Amino acid sequence: MYHRAKAPCRATIVTMLFESRRFDFFAPRQIVFGSSRLSELGQLARSLGRRALIVRGGTSLDRAGIPERVTRLLSGAGVEAHWGPRIEREPQVSDVDQAVAQVRRDPPDFIIGIGGGSAIDLAKAIASLVPQQDSSTVVDYLETVGRGRTLIQSPLPVIAVPTTAGTGSEVTKNAVISDSANHFKASLRHPGMVPVVALVDPELTLTCPQALTVHSGMDALTQLIESYLSRRAQPISDALALEGIRVAKECLPRVAANGSDLEAREGMAYAALLSGLALANSGLGLAHGVAPALGIYCNIPHGLACAVMLPPALEVNRRVRAEKLARVGEALTGRHFSSIEQGCDAAITTVRELSLSLGIPQRLSQLGVRREQIPALVQASRGSSLKANPRDLSDAELAEIFQRLL
Ligand SMILES: [Fe+2]
């Protein structure tokens, strides 16, 4: 028998479970995750064509013999490997423009980006711009600083193969491009930029140096927490973020202490993957809002900037996201708290203790930030991440946050 009176109760529960009932979710067509799965690169590549351009990261890849292995895997599957640019810094406008001009003369069927976030971002930017006909520079397409151009032609397919566990770039729809001379760091962003395949083989992170491991790991944790607290948070990314927070909290201290701990490396590769899926669909917040400014003006690497900014960002947002921050506290500690305030305290304390135990500086002055740089830092922080922060922050409030951290 149909009980009309029960319907409102059910509707109420659903509303409570899903804070936002309208959302989109972007993800790669295929995520291939697991140790030793680089061996599947040849077959995955062959499904996308016969000619691959490979964009790769720094010399540690070469030392690990990755290029020879990749060439062997591709040729074994009947795919020609064309080795393109190698990038050892966060990609600059000039890196993208030069590569695009070169690749346009003889475009490949698809692009493989192998390395840290910088290599994958460069691969995604090249793949996006090569098919476009209407511009000679990536700047025209960048958020905030560009001319508002959008990609008309679909990007070339990308296979992303991360060798660090942090940025999540293997599953995101943006690439971060810098211009040191003109003091900006901004995103090229389009839903078509999500790599078609994310091939995540945690064994590739075993040779990642300790400092980069720690900074990348803190980047992933910051992405997980900020996407969960973001004003654009949504149910799927919330579920992924909480899972990632639990895993990162357990595995980050382990990879920091012992880079050969493959189980922990797998955990961090998984947490970073989840962080990318979460941020691509929910946006970020204050720490990621100011990290580009700290990179451009003070030369602070992205992951380190995020790590330093995460505890103050949680304090700034505590009042407007208390309930969710308490859930972060539970995910980080594995404990249940009887009050929201206790959960919030646990979240902030646990993040701060983790940061200290990993040797992350707690003051921006320790990283060379000077008082007179604050006005420029405030201006350069007004990107898309800050817009997703759960509360608006005035220039004066931002300046005060920097000031307190000196
Ligand atoms: Fe990040």
Side-chain angles (χ1 to χ4, degrees):
M1 190 178 168
Y2 178 67
H3 295 283
R4 208 171 267 272
K6 287 198 172 170
C9 298
R10 187 164 296 176
T12 306
I13 291 167
V14 170
T15 305
M16 285 167 61
L17 285 173
F18 298 99
E19 290 168 32
S20 165
R21 299 179 69 188
R22 290 170 66 86
F23 52 85
D24 297 318
F25 193 83
F26 295 96
R29 187 172 76 193
Q30 187 177 2
I31 294 171
V32 180
F33 185 96
S35 288
S36 302
R37 296 198 71 181
L38 181 66
S39 60
E40 295 170 44
L41 179 64
Q43 305 145 249
L44 293 164
R46 183 64 193 87
S47 71
L48 297 178
R50 286 199 173 276
R51 298 181 69 240
L53 174 79
I54 302 157
V55 177
R56 69 190 192 277
T59 47
S60 62
L61 278 185
D62 295 359
R63 280 199 299 274
I66 302 293
E68 293 78 11
R69 207 171 146 208
V70 166
T71 301
R72 224 174 21 249
L73 288 165
L74 293 176
S75 68
V79 176
E80 277 176 42
H82 298 267
W83 288 87
R86 180 162 80 180
I87 182 100
E88 302 198 49
R89 57 179 180 178
E90 295 178 11
Q92 297 275 318
V93 165
S94 56
D95 297 323
V96 179
D97 287 349
Q98 281 168 23
V100 168
Q102 202 165 13
V103 176
R104 267 185 183 151
R105 288 184 216 128
D106 186 19
D109 295 327
F110 62 98
I111 297 183
I112 298 173
I114 180 163
S118 299
I120 296 175
D121 276 3
L122 180 60
K124 287 157 67 179
I126 296 169
S128 302
L129 293 180
V130 163
Q132 314 306 318
Q133 303 298 329
D134 58 353
S135 172
S136 58
T137 175
V138 64
V139 177
D140 291 351
Y141 296 86
L142 294 179
E143 286 180 346
T144 317
V145 297
R147 293 169 60 196
R149 284 203 166 150
T150 185
L151 306 181
I152 305 294
Q153 307 296 329
S154 296
L156 296 173
V158 170
I159 298 179
V161 186
T163 60
T164 61
T167 66
S169 178
E170 64 272 20
V171 292
T172 64
K173 56 182 189 284
N174 69 308
V176 180
I177 310 299
S178 306
D179 187 331
S180 301
N182 292 300
H183 299 296
F184 69 74
K185 195 185 256 201
S187 269
L188 173 66
R189 193 184 309 270
H190 189 274
M193 288 177 66
V194 180
V196 173
V197 177
L199 172 50
V200 185
D201 181 343
E203 281 181 359
L204 298 178
T205 66
L206 284 169
T207 51
C208 184
Q210 206 260 359
L212 184 55
T213 296
V214 167
H215 297 167
S216 305
M218 284 302 289
D219 183 20
L221 181 64
T222 306
Q223 287 163 184
L224 289 160
I225 297 178
E226 290 209 297
S227 63
Y228 185 67
L229 303 179
S230 158
R231 71 173 68 187
R232 294 199 282 112
Q234 48 116 311
I236 297 178
S237 59
D238 276 2
L240 300 179
L242 283 179
E243 161 81 346
I245 290 166
R246 277 188 286 271
V247 175
K249 169 60 176 53
E250 185 198 324
C251 294
L252 183 49
R254 286 172 57 186
V255 292
N258 175 15
S260 304
D261 182 342
L262 181 58
E263 187 184 75
R265 288 286 195 186
E266 287 172 343
M268 283 313 297
Y270 176 53
L273 173 77
L274 295 179
S275 79
L277 291 167
L279 83 88
N281 292 285
S282 286
L284 292 160
L286 170 61
H288 274 81
V290 306
L294 292 170
I296 283 294
Y297 282 98
C298 311
N299 217 17
I300 302 174
H302 174 76
L304 179 56
C306 289
V308 177
M309 291 307 301
L310 180 57
L314 298 184
E315 276 160 7
V316 163
N317 291 317
R318 173 178 182 147
R319 188 172 48 79
V320 294
R321 280 292 182 276
E323 196 175 327
K324 290 190 92 173
L325 185 57
R327 282 185 234 159
V328 170
E330 293 187 343
L332 284 167
T333 60
R335 292 172 54 202
H336 177 71
F337 296 99
S338 53
S339 77
I340 288 175
E341 289 309 311
Q342 283 177 357
C344 291
D345 287 343
I348 295 172
T349 304
T350 306
V351 165
R352 215 176 263 295
E353 285 174 357
L354 176 65
S355 173
L356 280 167
S357 73
L358 295 172
I360 304 292
Q362 303 298 299
R363 311 223 66 86
L364 289 173
S365 51
Q366 294 171 268
L367 297 170
V369 180
R370 302 187 312 276
R371 188 179 307 267
E372 57 270 27
Q373 292 177 306
I374 290 179
L377 291 171
V378 169
Q379 287 313 307
S381 296
R382 295 273 169 213
S384 58
S385 290
L386 203 63
K387 290 193 185 115
N389 193 63
R391 55 175 286 239
D392 291 329
L393 292 160
S394 67
D395 284 355
E397 284 175 290
L398 269 181
E400 198 188 313
I401 291 165
F402 283 123
Q403 181 71 45
R404 275 204 309 266
L405 284 170
L406 283 181

